[in-house]
Amino acid sequence: MWRSVISDTLTLPQIGARGVRVSWQQRFAETPDVLKSSERHRTLVPVLDFVIGGEAFITMAGPCSVETDSQLLSTARQVRAAGAQVLRGGAFKPRSSPYSFQGHGLEGLKMLARARNETGLAIVTEVMTEDDVPLVAEYADILQIGSRSMENYTLLERAAQSGKPILLKRGMVATLADLFRSAQIILDNGNPNVILCERGIRTFETATRNTFDVAAIALIKLISHLPVIADPSHAAGHRDLVPAFARIGVAAGADGLLIEVHPNPDKAWSDGEQSLDFADFEMVMASLEPYIALREAAQALAAPRPMEAVG
Ligand code: PEP
Ligand code: MN
């Protein structure tokens, strides 16, 4: 009975609803080269003797800031032993306060190079200005563009032209369309080796340092051929949340993780509250194993297929 009342009195906008659906290609039409296509299903970014975005899960780990040779070397040895492939560490630091440690600059880059020589780990480090690109590119295997620089288009162009792989961190108030626009600029400048990084965004929630937008990771994996790295450290802001955020990042489909690790987090010159000590890092890496195995199984099942319309 109720059925006939509704059908007699209501015209449901079935056709109209279908009409307002847009495809992912339409929604991100400004950045076509970031999206998957029939020719480009995934990008493998070569770094030293491995690739990012392939079957192997990649871990980047190390201190927020490069402080001393011994701090960096001990961290490099530990993270390598626990399974990391890339050593992270900032030599040029974008600090919210002008009175905080700003990084050692060139001295920090030299420490990173010594740690690479000792351990064989690849190096990812931030470049903050276009003038520093040639110098940082001389030492780094991957150039990090930080959240605060994601929309510095001159920096993006110069970094792209260095030919080094770029780890592009999502701006803290950047939409995915904004992130894709920045990635498109790097691609347009002749550099195909872009790695996207979800590190949390600002929302009304302040309990965590940022809000970890894991939906972005799943969506990027669905529609983009570029690899994506999850950064649970900057998303959480608290070290006790980092293990869970790391597992969530893997489950969302990330190609790798970026985790801050320090020999003595309480004494760190930056981001100590979100840094793991060596024992905790080892524990996190061990706890990730089943999640990484699941990811590999899911990858094996997922055959490339055309992107569908937005529901
Ligand atoms: C960092 O990696 O230490 C950093 C400053 O990150 P973000 O740009 O994401 O804040
Ligand atoms: Mn940091």
Side-chain angles (χ1 to χ4, degrees):
M1 190 50 155
W2 60 271
R3 189 181 277 271
S4 69
V5 171
I6 289 181
S7 60
D8 288 350
T9 55
L10 271 182
T11 310
L12 297 172
Q14 295 289 347
I15 307 295
R18 240 177 275 133
V20 297
R21 290 181 176 190
V22 288
S23 69
W24 294 118
Q25 285 92 342
Q26 282 171 286
R27 180 162 287 182
F28 295 105
E30 277 179 296
T31 56
D33 300 324
V34 172
L35 303 181
K36 282 180 187 169
S37 65
S38 46
E39 306 84 64
R40 210 172 26 212
H41 185 67
R42 70 178 180 185
T43 289
L44 303 179
V45 176
V47 181
L48 299 185
D49 60 348
F50 59 92
V51 294
I52 300 177
E55 259 106 76
F57 190 81
I58 297 299
T59 304
M60 310 181 176
C64 180
S65 297
V66 175
E67 298 169 8
T68 63
D69 266 317
S70 70
Q71 169 242 19
L72 192 64
L73 247 180
S74 60
T75 309
R77 289 197 182 108
Q78 290 287 330
V79 300
R80 185 179 177 107
Q85 293 80 10
V86 183
L87 176 66
R88 62 142 292 139
F92 294 93
K93 292 302 304 174
R95 302 306 301 281
S96 307
S97 164
Y99 306 109
S100 301
F101 175 58
Q102 306 292 311
H104 285 307
L106 175 58
E107 272 318 303
L109 296 176
K110 289 182 177 167
M111 292 185 211
L112 285 164
R114 284 196 283 273
R116 177 180 45 207
N117 287 345
E118 283 277 328
T119 61
L121 289 169
I123 300 295
V124 60
T125 194
E126 179 159 353
V127 56
M128 286 173 58
T129 73
E130 64 258 31
D131 292 343
D132 290 334
V133 168
L135 179 72
V136 180
E138 218 180 286
Y139 290 87
D141 301 297
I142 304 169
L143 296 181
Q144 175 171 321
I145 302 289
S147 293
R148 293 157 191 80
S149 302
M150 191 206 81
E151 288 178 316
N152 182 341
Y153 300 118
T154 320
L155 173 61
L156 293 175
E157 286 171 17
R158 293 284 283 277
Q161 289 158 9
S162 74
K164 292 280 177 177
I166 309 287
L167 179 71
L168 179 64
K169 296 192 94 176
R170 181 180 181 181
M172 52 191 95
V173 292
T175 63
L176 274 188
D178 297 330
L179 176 66
F180 285 4
R181 267 190 291 273
S182 294
Q184 178 79 34
I185 288 170
I186 300 170
L187 300 174
D188 282 347
N189 276 271
N191 189 335
N193 294 320
V194 181
I195 306 153
L196 304 175
C197 179
E198 165 58 38
R199 45 77 74 205
I201 51 173
R202 284 219 169 134
T203 67
F204 54 81
E205 180 55 77
T206 54
T208 50
R209 183 176 181 184
N210 291 289
T211 296
F212 192 23
D213 185 8
V214 287
I217 297 173
L219 181 52
I220 291 168
K221 288 311 295 176
L222 182 69
I223 66 176
S224 174
H225 57 91
L226 296 173
V228 57
I229 296 289
D231 172 352
S233 305
H234 292 85
H238 302 272
R239 75 182 71 119
D240 45 4
L241 270 173
V242 169
F245 279 30
R247 291 194 294 273
I248 294 165
V250 180
D255 295 288
L257 290 169
L258 183 150
I259 300 182
E260 288 189 335
V261 180
H262 192 282
N264 186 352
D266 291 333
K267 292 269 159 57
W269 299 5
S270 62
D271 283 350
E273 58 292 349
Q274 67 195 32
S275 299
L276 302 181
D277 64 18
F278 297 159
D280 282 348
F281 179 67
E282 211 181 313
M283 237 152 54
V284 169
M285 291 296 277
S287 79
L288 287 175
E289 276 169 20
Y291 292 81
I292 293 171
L294 279 176
R295 168 189 174 274
E296 282 160 11
Q299 266 191 346
L301 286 176
R305 61 189 176 93
M307 279 188 270
E308 285 159 8
V310 181

